[in-house]
Amino acid sequence: MPVSSFQHVRIAGVGAYLPERVVSNEELSATLDTSHQWIFSHTGIQQRHLAAPEEGAASMGLQAALRALEDGGVSPGELGMVIVATSTADYASYPSTAALIQGKLGAENAGAFDLNAACSGFVYALSLGKCTCRNLGRPVLVVASEVNSRIVDWKDRATCVLFGDGAGAVVLVPASSPGILHEVLGAEGAGADALVREAGLRTREDSLRKPGYVRMDGRAVFQFAVRSMEKVIRRLMAEANLPLEEVDHFIPHQANGRILDAVARNMGVPQERFFRNIQEVANTASASIPIALAQLRRQKALQPGDLVLLVAFGAGLAYGGCLLRW
Ligand code: UT7
């Protein structure tokens, strides 16, 4: 396929994978000083899926990828690149989770690398995937997979109740008309200390710390979330020169139902136009948006021509969004 024949990129297939085990708020309350009432009223979460002991980012991502490839009618051998967004990779540094998935798929013509922009990882990967797909003139697989249950302190009620595990994937293909219309990516790196996983190589002491748990200033992240999501939505619409009323589906990162309520209210958008599945899956970090896309696709809610707005925020403090014509 000549590299220059396609100007645009669209999503051809979507897939998701959620681990079988479902853990309710009530089940957590049996071993933790918390309650369904507190968790549900503060976050909108009722349950989460948790990975089995033998599952990880690569194995869950592989399942989501196979479903996306089947949905898009693309074979692994056609792929030019495999990009995986994750902050809970199978190996701390290398090999990349993308390489493991590429190997299992038998995608022998594809390159592979991971990208970490925490909960915003999928929109970053989608943006990069679009450029790669256009440059190569070949399909690109974008996966987001997270096993959050392995990095939270199950004794810390302020964080562990918020997260779940899961994976989502999309296949991007060159197209003659716009599918991925526009992206906005940004970060407030100066505030990055508000959400940290305490493990790494920053100092020798850090490198000896084991295991490294998530530490979060919940209030600061909440405020950043509302501020950055509104900023992304306004910038996407202004830069694409489209009115907000034309958006058919707002698909926000699922971190807290109250964050979504606040953004919808402040933007003057009816709550029902903001997709929500946090009650079932909790916060699956970078995987939350492709899991939502797959759910909407299964429900046949995404119609050709629909305008879809993706918006995410998270550690970094990175944020981003993407406008799609389905
Ligand atoms: O993907 C990005 C990741 N993070 C986020 O998006 C998080 C954004 N922030 C939030 O969603 C909210 O700040 C939280 C849900 C994390 C917390 O809600 P909050 O209304 O800000 O509560 P808080 O942290 O101010 O805590 C209020 C109280 C505290 O007790 P005291 O000090 O008032 O006696 C906490 O100890 O609630 C207590 N608390 C809990 N109680 C029962 C905190 N977690 C729990 C819990 N169960 N699980």
Side-chain angles (χ1 to χ4, degrees), residues 59-266:
S59 64
M60 294 194 303
L62 175 66
Q63 294 308 316
L66 287 168
R67 291 170 190 180
L69 288 166
E70 190 187 351
D71 185 43
V74 172
S75 68
E78 293 175 74
L79 293 172
M81 192 64 72
V82 177
I83 305 176
V84 175
T86 184
S87 31
T88 52
D90 278 22
Y91 293 91
S93 302
Y94 49 78
S96 70
T97 302
L100 301 176
I101 292 176
Q102 185 256 16
K104 291 278 185 203
L105 285 174
E108 70 272 11
N109 302 312
F113 67 96
D114 286 1
L115 166 164
N116 183 354
C119 298
S120 303
F122 179 74
V123 288
Y124 271 71
L126 198 58
S127 176
L128 204 55
K130 169 181 148 177
C131 302
T132 309
C133 181
R134 199 166 45 198
N135 288 349
L136 296 176
R138 288 173 45 207
V140 168
L141 177 67
V142 174
V143 180
S145 185
E146 303 282 12
V147 63
N148 293 308
S149 59
R150 304 237 167 92
I151 61 166
V152 291
D153 178 357
W154 284 100
K155 294 190 198 69
D156 177 15
R157 66 179 184 175
T159 51
C160 72
V161 303
L162 305 173
F163 294 95
D165 301 331
V170 297
V171 184
L172 307 180
V173 295
S176 50
S177 59
I180 301 177
L181 298 179
H182 189 59
E183 310 95 73
V184 165
L185 303 175
E188 294 184 13
D193 195 45
L195 183 47
V196 172
R197 183 187 168 204
E198 299 280 15
L201 306 173
R202 188 182 54 114
T203 60
R204 185 161 178 276
E205 194 192 331
D206 280 355
S207 72
L208 300 174
R209 202 196 315 254
K210 227 180 144 185
Y213 293 131
V214 173
R215 168 177 60 73
M216 178 173 70
D217 177 344
R219 295 243 165 130
V221 176
F222 194 110
Q223 285 165 10
F224 159 70
V226 175
R227 180 172 73 242
S228 59
M229 280 177 138
E230 287 179 23
K231 181 160 69 180
V232 168
I233 295 171
R234 285 187 213 286
R235 273 191 57 194
L236 278 173
M237 302 318 294
E239 290 171 18
N241 200 20
L242 287 165
L244 200 59
E245 301 71 50
E246 273 193 27
V247 177
D248 296 290
H249 307 276
F250 290 87
I251 307 185
H253 168 49
Q254 307 284 311
N256 185 327
R258 284 160 53 219
I259 293 175
L260 306 187
D261 291 342
V263 176
R265 191 173 54 243
N266 295 350

Side-chain angles (χ1 to χ4, degrees), residues 23-25 28-29 32-36 38-40 42-48 50 152-164 216 255 278 281-283:
V23 175
S24 67
N25 292 345
L28 286 185
S29 311
L32 195 66
D33 180 17
T34 188
S35 63
H36 168 71
W38 191 96
I39 300 170
F40 186 64
H42 282 73
T43 67
I45 296 166
Q46 297 183 16
Q47 60 173 47
R48 70 284 294 140
L50 297 187
V152 291
D153 178 357
W154 284 100
K155 294 190 198 69
D156 177 15
R157 66 179 184 175
T159 51
C160 72
V161 303
L162 305 173
F163 294 95
M216 178 173 70
I278 189 167
V281 300
N283 182 346

